[in-house]
Amino acid sequence: MGIVISSLSKNYGNQKALDSISFSIKSGEVVGLLGPNGAGKSTLMKSVTGAIIPDGGEIKVNEFSVLNQPIQTKKLIGFLPENNPLYYEMYIREYLKFVGNIRNEKKERIEEVIKKVGLTPESHKKIGQLSKGYKQRVGLAQAILSNPEILILDEPTNGLDPNQILEIREVIREIGKEKTVILSTHIMQEVEALCSRVILLNKGKIVSDSPIEEFKGQYKNLE
Ligand code: ADP
Ligand code: ADP
């Protein structure tokens, strides 16, 4: 169980966005994908969700192939893209019902996720009336709505102010107790705050893959 990535490659023209990458993630791990802009983080995450087709290699999620069994793997994965687009004119519940294709008997799941991501005090509002931090909570609610085993978060605190960052990290920390998480970021403090393992990516290659404690040691040596 978990995610197994083998010799994954993706090129854009001559640009090697992913250069034969291999690693595994065990069920329940919270893994940070750290790297500068252009490192290949988004390409890697979109390959795992099935949004882009790699040029080579294989991705398995709980033994299912993302390429050959996309219906099975998509059910297992929740995704929060960077700059997640939201419908500003919709009420929160209306939006979650819409994106989740929620049937009446599953309505209570909406209340459950609203509570889980801390939307309760704002839950009567339209999305456009929310602060950026609360908008991001809607994104997280959407990502966990179908109760996926795996949650993939692309730069989840980008563009938020310092208080909102701490609040969103707290929500992610709680969700991370129950799920396998891959979190992409270019911010070291974010992986320190949330992840037990760090995969450092640069120019489409894995530079290091280590437990957070070891990584912090290496990082300090670089300073
Ligand atoms: P990151 O998420 O780490 O910033 P990306 O996966 O977005 O990195 O990009 C990896 C490399 O692939 C970069 O050099 C980027 O310019 C290139 N790239 C990504 N998407 C495209 C695209 N749709 N067309 C052309 N080049 C792309
Ligand atoms: P803030 O959350 O501080 O208001 P945003 O960048 O989220 O800042 O949005 C600023 C304004 O831009 C919103 O109030 C809205 O009118 C508009 N806007 C931004 N993104 C969208 C979108 N995806 N759909 C509709 N309107 C948007």
Side-chain angles (χ1 to χ4, degrees):
M1 291 290 154
I3 303 170
V4 180
I5 293 177
S6 323
S7 309
L8 188 69
S9 292
K10 176 74 184 177
N11 304 317
Y12 294 105
N14 291 330
Q15 180 74 38
K16 285 185 175 175
L18 295 176
D19 190 1
S20 195
I21 279 184
S22 303
F23 64 92
S24 308
I25 294 178
K26 288 196 214 87
S27 184
E29 277 192 286
V30 178
V31 178
L33 200 56
L34 182 67
N37 266 335
K41 303 182 297 296
S42 290
T43 305
L44 178 54
M45 285 183 298
K46 285 181 193 157
S47 303
V48 176
T49 64
I52 62 175
I53 314 269
D55 296 314
E58 192 175 53
I59 304 167
K60 288 204 163 165
V61 176
N62 287 4
E63 319 275 303
F64 295 113
S65 157
V66 170
L67 265 181
N68 303 320
Q69 296 159 293
I71 295 168
Q72 286 91 330
T73 60
K74 276 188 178 131
K75 273 190 201 153
L76 294 165
I77 298 171
F79 182 42
L80 178 61
E82 198 181 359
N83 306 317
N84 184 39
L86 296 168
Y87 288 100
Y88 282 42
E89 287 307 316
M90 277 186 163
Y91 290 96
I92 292 172
R93 288 187 174 83
E94 184 188 14
Y95 177 73
L96 292 175
K97 197 174 162 184
F98 167 69
V99 295
N101 195 10
I102 297 284
R103 296 192 300 272
N104 273 338
E105 66 265 30
K106 285 193 190 161
K107 265 190 185 162
E108 61 199 38
R109 178 64 188 156
I110 290 183
E111 299 311 314
E112 226 171 82
V113 296
I114 282 177
K115 210 167 150 197
K116 194 150 258 175
V117 303
L119 269 170
T120 308
E122 303 283 273
S123 64
H124 58 286
K125 290 190 177 170
K126 279 189 178 178
I127 290 170
Q129 296 175 298
L130 301 173
S131 69
K132 280 191 181 175
Y134 274 94
K135 284 183 185 125
Q136 195 62 333
R137 289 178 202 252
V138 175
L140 285 166
Q142 176 182 346
I144 63 168
L145 196 54
S146 62
N147 203 13
E149 273 181 45
I150 297 160
L151 189 60
I152 300 184
L153 307 173
D154 195 354
E155 301 274 5
T157 62
N158 249 16
L160 304 184
D161 72 30
N163 263 335
Q164 294 169 340
I165 289 176
L166 296 181
E167 287 170 12
I168 290 298
R169 282 184 187 162
E170 193 48 45
V171 176
I172 294 170
R173 199 171 288 123
E174 283 305 308
I175 296 173
K177 290 177 184 167
E178 300 170 355
K179 299 193 185 293
T180 309
V181 178
I182 306 178
L183 182 151
S184 132
T185 177
H186 63 281
I187 302 163
M188 176 61 195
Q189 287 88 327
E190 187 113 323
V191 291
E192 274 191 31
L194 296 172
C195 305
S196 56
R197 172 182 165 196
V198 190
I199 296 175
L200 182 60
L201 204 63
N202 193 26
K203 297 181 179 165
K205 283 183 186 289
I206 293 178
V207 179
S208 72
D209 180 351
S210 46
I212 186 69
E213 288 309 320
E214 276 176 35
F215 188 80
K216 277 199 257 183
Q218 291 172 22
Y219 188 73
K220 292 216 172 78
N221 289 338
L222 294 175
E223 282 174 340

